[in-house]
Amino acid sequence: MWKLFAFLSAVFAAFTSIFAKYGMKSIDSTLATAIRTVVVLVLAWGIIFANGNIKGIKDLTVANWVFLVLSGLATGASWLCYFKAIQIGEVSRVAPIDKLSVVFTLILSCLILHEKITMKTALGSVLITVGSLLFL
């Protein structure tokens, strides 16, 4: 099931870039990011309330809060940079470079989470890196 969600994430991310490029005509990229963030916020909390998962908030630990806040800050920084990049650059060139995040994630998952990098994963990372850098 995780593969389906990962694939859908990629499809929705592709539409995000296209819709954002059109939506940012004649406005600041930071304003566009803020509007997008509000939509994501309403959608996520709507799903939480609809599913009845709000009661789980009482079970969050300090570590949960700290790392989720850090994740949120990283997401915000990523979105702000991405929206500025697609506003001033071509989406078809920005998106592949943005996908270097896959390689950075693999490296960090190895260093911080102690996940194993296989030969297949390493080769995939090299190919993603080379492919992404060709768009520079």
Side-chain angles (χ1 to χ4, degrees):
M1 194 66 170
W2 67 267
K3 290 178 185 178
L4 173 64
F5 284 112
F7 180 78
L8 290 172
S9 173
V11 171
F12 288 129
F15 279 109
T16 297
S17 302
I18 302 305
F19 294 155
K21 183 73 173 183
Y22 279 115
M24 284 191 290
K25 289 190 191 301
S26 304
I27 68 165
D28 178 69
S29 64
T30 306
L31 175 60
T33 304
I35 292 168
R36 173 188 176 191
T37 302
V38 169
V39 172
V40 171
L41 184 71
V42 169
L43 177 66
W45 281 106
I47 293 169
I48 290 296
F49 283 110
N51 290 339
N53 292 332
I54 190 65
K55 56 188 165 227
I57 204 165
K58 66 181 175 358
D59 298 326
L60 295 175
T61 66
V62 171
N64 292 140
W65 281 106
V66 167
F67 286 108
L68 291 173
V69 167
L70 289 172
S71 176
L73 291 171
T75 298
S78 173
W79 288 0
L80 288 166
C81 292
Y82 187 78
F83 267 46
K84 187 63 174 179
I86 65 172
Q87 184 177 44
I88 60 179
E90 297 175 19
V91 172
S92 61
R93 294 183 70 193
V94 171
I97 295 166
D98 175 67
K99 295 313 169 219
L100 282 172
S101 65
V102 172
V103 176
F104 299 144
T105 301
L106 291 170
I107 293 167
L108 291 172
S109 70
C110 179
L111 295 174
I112 297 170
L113 302 175
H114 307 290
E115 294 182 1
K116 301 290 182 231
I117 301 248
T118 65
M119 187 57 81
K120 187 166 110 177
T121 307
L123 177 60
S125 295
V126 168
L127 291 172
I128 290 169
T129 302
V130 170
S132 293
L133 295 177
L134 287 174
F135 287 89
L136 290 176

